[in-house]
Amino acid sequence: MKKRHFKLWATAGILLTLALAGCGNKEAKETNEASAKTQEEEKVLTVYSAGPDGLAANIQQAFEEKTGIKVEMFQGTTGKILSRLEAEKNNPVADIVVLASVASMDGLKATDQLQSYEEAKNKDKINSDWSDQDGYFYGYSASALGIAYNTKNTTQAPTDWSDLAKADWQNKINIPDPSLSGSAVDFLFGYTAAEKTAWSTIDSWKKNGLQVNGANKEALDAVITGEKNATIAGVDYMAYKAKADGEPVEIIYPTSGTVVSPRAVGILKDAQHVESAQAYVDFLLSDEGQKLVADAYLLPGNKDIAVKNRAALDEIPQLTVDWMGAEAKQLEVLTKFTDLFR
């Protein structure tokens, strides 16, 4: 009898041990799955980017392949991105922000929405005039704003801003709407700050039938189709791409100088994936990232990276513009321009 009882207890003990082991294995499995899920979530980086679309997609693909970090991308104009950040202020989503305006990026720094990354790799190769000295953002690329014109409809190409006030261009010119285009605001700010006669010239354009024509793409499309003959403050990389695609468009930089508008990348203060965000900044500033910038007809932040089928930075007559602290001044310029064309 004792032996039988002993066997029953032994059997029960074994079953209990197995059951507990099963529970332990189940708990361990659940823990491992949760840990794997957390690690997977850590490898998802949210980027808000002001394009260009093709460049943003190429950077995303190359970055994911290089690092294994998945990118969730939202693309929009600088204005749309700033509005989205404001709407999400109490529940931040984005880790990285890429804007087409350094002045707007400097505004994010001024309102304590960015964090510094002074240890960024290759930062010393990037144009210091386009970047924050404390490492809050880096000007990884830029576009120059010129006069894009239709080559079929133009017998005499313009050479300077004042040319577009002549009778030959009456009712045939447009400009991107600065309330929709960050680069147009940059142009108006830089042009009026650096050129004493700028507002007089802008008024002469208005008298010559200047049309405020949507965002950058809409303004350029009107020139490509022949609806207009020229767009003022045309974004050069868009014109170069259209020309490469066989469209009848060319771009010139006025002899008196134009505005070069830097595009910047920064890490948001409330970023949830800081290490991944830093890796993204490092990639944009790397030679590989900068070559992708050049392939998109933009000016790389690293001047040692060769551009392709476009004017290099030192070939463009430039107006001297101080972008730091410019956001408030840009609002004044935008208001004055809007009042002029109301």
Side-chain angles (χ1 to χ4, degrees):
M1 183 67 69
K2 287 183 180 180
K3 288 183 178 180
R4 185 181 176 190
H5 284 165
F6 176 78
K7 288 180 179 179
L8 288 172
W9 282 110
T11 302
I14 292 169
L15 291 173
L16 180 61
T17 300
L18 290 173
L20 289 174
C23 289
N25 289 338
K26 182 180 180 182
E27 290 174 359
K29 182 180 180 182
E30 289 175 350
T31 300
N32 289 336
E33 288 176 351
S35 176
K37 184 178 180 181
T38 300
Q39 291 176 6
E40 190 66 29
E41 288 174 349
E42 282 295 319
K43 288 193 173 185
V44 177
L45 183 70
T46 302
V47 178
Y48 287 2
S49 177
D53 294 353
L55 174 60
N58 290 339
I59 288 172
Q60 176 178 347
Q61 180 179 347
F63 174 75
E64 288 180 340
E65 291 175 354
K66 188 178 184 69
T67 65
I69 299 170
K70 177 177 170 53
V71 173
E72 291 186 352
M73 180 82 68
F74 167 75
Q75 293 190 59
T77 63
T78 292
K80 287 182 179 180
I81 289 173
L82 293 176
S83 295
R84 185 159 179 161
L85 291 176
E86 180 64 26
E88 296 172 349
K89 194 172 260 187
N90 295 326
N91 186 26
V93 176
D95 300 298
I96 283 278
V97 62
V98 180
L99 299 180
S101 170
V102 160
S104 295
M105 191 71 85
D106 191 55
L108 291 181
K109 177 193 174 185
T111 52
D112 196 29
Q113 295 183 65
L114 299 177
Q115 60 177 279
S116 176
Y117 180 35
E118 291 189 276
E119 302 79 18
K121 297 176 182 177
N122 291 311
K123 69 174 187 178
D124 294 335
K125 295 182 179 181
I126 301 300
N127 193 321
S128 60
D129 292 336
W130 301 353
S131 304
D132 178 64
Q133 63 179 0
D134 299 317
Y136 282 86
F137 57 83
Y138 295 97
Y140 77 101
S141 68
S143 60
L145 307 172
I147 300 173
Y149 64 94
N150 185 298
T151 54
K152 289 183 177 179
N153 294 350
T154 304
T155 55
Q156 183 69 41
T159 60
D160 211 351
W161 301 115
S162 58
D163 289 347
L164 298 181
K166 296 177 180 178
D168 289 348
W169 298 94
Q170 189 170 23
N171 299 321
K172 297 177 181 178
I173 53 177
N174 70 16
I175 187 171
D177 186 342
S179 69
L180 301 174
S181 165
S183 60
V185 178
D186 281 356
F187 169 75
L188 291 172
F189 167 72
Y191 184 46
T192 57
E195 180 56 65
K196 292 180 179 179
T197 61
W199 283 112
S200 176
T201 302
I202 292 171
D203 187 57
S204 71
W205 295 337
K206 179 191 176 185
K207 292 175 180 176
N208 209 31
L210 177 65
Q211 180 181 355
V212 180
N213 206 166
N216 298 321
K217 185 178 185 302
E218 288 80 3
L220 183 61
D221 283 347
V223 172
I224 290 172
T225 61
E227 178 187 342
K228 297 294 179 182
N229 286 357
T231 185
I232 296 166
V235 181
D236 65 350
Y237 75 83
M238 296 178 70
Y240 284 120
K241 185 178 185 307
K243 179 182 177 182
D245 290 341
E247 302 292 357
V249 65
E250 187 61 85
I251 189 160
I252 66 100
Y253 306 106
T255 54
S256 60
T258 191
V259 175
V260 172
S261 176
R263 309 167 72 86
V265 58
I267 302 174
L268 289 161
K269 183 179 180 180
D270 296 318
Q272 298 177 45
H273 310 106
V274 175
E275 289 187 5
S276 295
Q278 291 175 346
Y280 192 86
V281 173
D282 289 342
F283 181 78
L284 276 186
L285 306 190
S286 70
D287 287 357
E288 183 179 353
Q290 290 290 287
K291 286 175 182 175
L292 290 175
V293 167
D295 288 344
Y297 302 102
L298 280 153
L299 293 164
N302 182 349
K303 63 180 178 58
D304 293 331
I305 300 297
V307 296
K308 298 182 179 180
N309 301 316
R310 60 150 299 139
L313 184 62
D314 58 8
E315 297 173 327
I316 299 170
Q318 293 180 59
L319 297 173
T320 302
V321 182
D322 182 4
W323 297 108
M324 306 311 158
E327 191 176 43
K329 298 174 186 175
Q330 284 191 331
L331 183 58
E332 295 175 9
V333 171
L334 177 59
T335 300
K336 185 171 181 177
F337 180 85
T338 302
D339 290 343
L340 181 63
F341 281 83
R342 183 168 292 164

